[in-house]
Amino acid sequence: MAAALSAVLAVAAMIDQLGVHSLTDHANAMYEPYGKRPDPGLLYGLVYAVAVVGALLWLPVIRVVRSRSRLAPVLAVVVITVTAALAVLLLVSTEYDAQIFPPLWGTLAILPPAVGVLAVVLLFRRASGHVQ
């Protein structure tokens, strides 16, 4: 599920880049008073990078969980930490006292680690014998 939610972030960025342009419009409005022109490719590239890195990190977790390895919860916690850190970067990155990315992008990026937290709770419960 977390890997699929990472893909949702990439799809949302693709839809925005190809038609809606909300990220570009936000950046243009933010930088315009300073006479700067943001590079939309860089902004979308960062969102795509967060999505792709997130999806690639979740794939080994899926494999380890399916193998029922005792390392599954530990690996999941590591991946949750990394993907949450990437999401937080999208949420808190600022320049000229303004957020570079609208909150939507950070919110979409935080969904995979949030689902991961639920999965880890279930993994720890299974490992301790509470769930059969």
Side-chain angles (χ1 to χ4, degrees):
M1 180 69 127
L5 286 172
S6 293
V8 167
L9 175 61
V11 170
M14 203 176 310
I15 290 168
D16 191 76
Q17 187 176 19
L18 294 175
V20 180
H21 304 290
S22 70
L23 181 55
T24 303
D25 294 344
H26 171 80
N28 284 334
M30 186 186 96
Y31 286 104
E32 187 176 33
Y34 302 97
K36 307 285 183 188
R37 295 211 25 96
D39 180 1
L42 176 64
L43 296 173
Y44 286 106
L46 290 169
V47 174
Y48 289 129
V50 168
V52 169
V53 167
L56 291 175
L57 287 173
W58 283 109
L59 293 177
V61 173
I62 294 167
R63 187 174 190 166
V64 171
V65 167
R66 286 185 179 161
S67 73
R68 299 196 177 266
S69 169
R70 291 181 153 207
L71 292 176
V74 175
L75 181 59
V77 168
V78 170
V79 171
I80 287 167
T81 304
V82 172
T83 56
L86 291 171
V88 168
L89 284 174
L90 291 182
L91 283 167
V92 301
S93 295
T94 62
E95 194 167 42
Y96 302 114
D97 294 324
Q99 284 187 287
I100 296 172
F101 297 92
L104 168 68
W105 301 103
T107 302
L108 288 174
I110 204 76
L111 292 177
V115 167
V117 167
L118 295 174
V120 166
V121 168
L122 293 174
L123 286 171
F124 277 117
R125 289 182 74 195
R126 183 180 78 189
S128 66
H130 287 86
V131 174
Q132 313 221 342

